[in-house]
Amino acid sequence: MTVASAGVRLGLILLALAAGAACSRAPQEEAATPAAPQDAVTLSKASQALAGITVQTVTAEAVGAALEAVGTIAIDDTRTARVGSLVEGIVDATHVNVGDRVRRGALLAGLHSHEVHDSWGDYRKSVADRRRVEQELAFANETLARTERLLTDKAASALEVERARSNRASATEQLAMANAEVRRATESLEHLGIEIGNAPEAAVNEIVPVRTPQAGVVLEKLVTTGTTVTPGTALFVVSDTSSLWVLAEIDEAALARVQVGAAVQVAVSAYPTERFPARVTFIGDTINPATRRVVVRCALQNGDGRLKPGMFARVQLEGVAPEPMVHVPVDAVQDLGDRRVVFVSGADGQYVARDVETGRERDGRVEILRGLTAGEKVVTRGAFLLKSQMLASPEGES
């Protein structure tokens, strides 16, 4: 129906209502019936049918559990490695670039460091000391065996045997200490990622390897060949982007409707017709004092890699259902100046304008916070015509 035809129809209806009022007013006055309540409209059955009045009984229902929020897609910190330097040195070479996919343990770069040179020196010295002590222990064992044979032949004294046993015990203790020193030197090299191999005396590798503890994509490369680094210097960021986070901000007033484990639908501008399922994994412990909002973290699967960290997202959280509340169609609520009213159906074609306080709107329905209770009958279609009749006719009758 066009705007013009709708206007004509409204005009005809109002004329009919006015005509009905003119025809029926005198008899009503002669009968001296009680006056209609203030803010009420009374229609005859014919006028009701002409106006298309529809009345429904309102009920309390939990509508609008879903929450809308904006958020940002971020990397999953539990699947992200920020690889740093263990030693002071110079980057000898890099082996990956941003965007490369790497496996766990993959070589990212190599560092030249004097600390490795010193560790190799300590290792060689500990191995040499152990070899010397092993020879001393072997000599002590031979000496003890020979002295015991001489004692049997009465060619040596018991004191000499005890002295030989003491020397062997001392050599055994020194060997244990030498082995501990070798283990310490070995662990020092292994801590730097250096593999000793089976022939430590051969040409050794003094380049410290930088390896990733996390499989994924190289998101950041912060050094190049020749860069000087110190312990703790950030070198690379590697993340498994098959799982991402969505960080959304929820109003403080809606916090009670969000719970860990709740389902989430995520939309991004890159794919406007698609929705990506996620799930709430964490609700922030503090509220931003400037925005009165709390951060809610959601886990999002991204196996196909289409979603990118940094994207803005629209998040719909299927939160905990609120308490049942009276809802009516949006068209049932009319504005009278600074008032919002609904028309409650009474007896004998009477409709009373009732002041109400409205809440949120969703899917063509609006919450009624105050002014209406479940079980009452309200006009859901034709409320605008009733308002027009009430404004046009002081008596509010037709």
PDB file of all heavy atoms in Angstrom, residues 221 262 318:
ATOM      1  N   LYS A 221      59.414 -10.858  12.737  1.00  0.00           N
ATOM      2  CA  LYS A 221      60.852 -11.102  12.656  1.00  0.00           C
ATOM      3  C   LYS A 221      61.522  -9.790  13.026  1.00  0.00           C
ATOM      4  O   LYS A 221      61.464  -8.806  12.288  1.00  0.00           O
ATOM      5  CB  LYS A 221      61.234 -11.536  11.242  1.00  0.00           C
ATOM      6  CG  LYS A 221      62.737 -11.737  11.041  1.00  0.00           C
ATOM      7  CD  LYS A 221      63.038 -12.079   9.589  1.00  0.00           C
ATOM      8  CE  LYS A 221      64.536 -12.222   9.354  1.00  0.00           C
ATOM      9  NZ  LYS A 221      64.830 -12.517   7.923  1.00  0.00           N
ATOM     10  N   ALA A 262      29.502 -20.153  27.351  1.00  0.00           N
ATOM     11  CA  ALA A 262      28.379 -19.724  26.522  1.00  0.00           C
ATOM     12  C   ALA A 262      28.781 -19.672  25.049  1.00  0.00           C
ATOM     13  O   ALA A 262      29.915 -19.340  24.709  1.00  0.00           O
ATOM     14  CB  ALA A 262      27.880 -18.354  26.972  1.00  0.00           C
ATOM     15  N   GLU A 318      25.281 -15.594  23.229  1.00  0.00           N
ATOM     16  CA  GLU A 318      24.024 -16.205  23.654  1.00  0.00           C
ATOM     17  C   GLU A 318      24.088 -16.398  25.166  1.00  0.00           C
ATOM     18  O   GLU A 318      24.351 -17.479  25.669  1.00  0.00           O
ATOM     19  CB  GLU A 318      23.801 -17.524  22.920  1.00  0.00           C
ATOM     20  CG  GLU A 318      23.717 -17.339  21.408  1.00  0.00           C
ATOM     21  CD  GLU A 318      23.576 -18.646  20.676  1.00  0.00           C
ATOM     22  OE1 GLU A 318      23.413 -19.680  21.342  1.00  0.00           O
ATOM     23  OE2 GLU A 318      23.637 -18.633  19.432  1.00  0.00           O
TER      24      GLU A 318
END
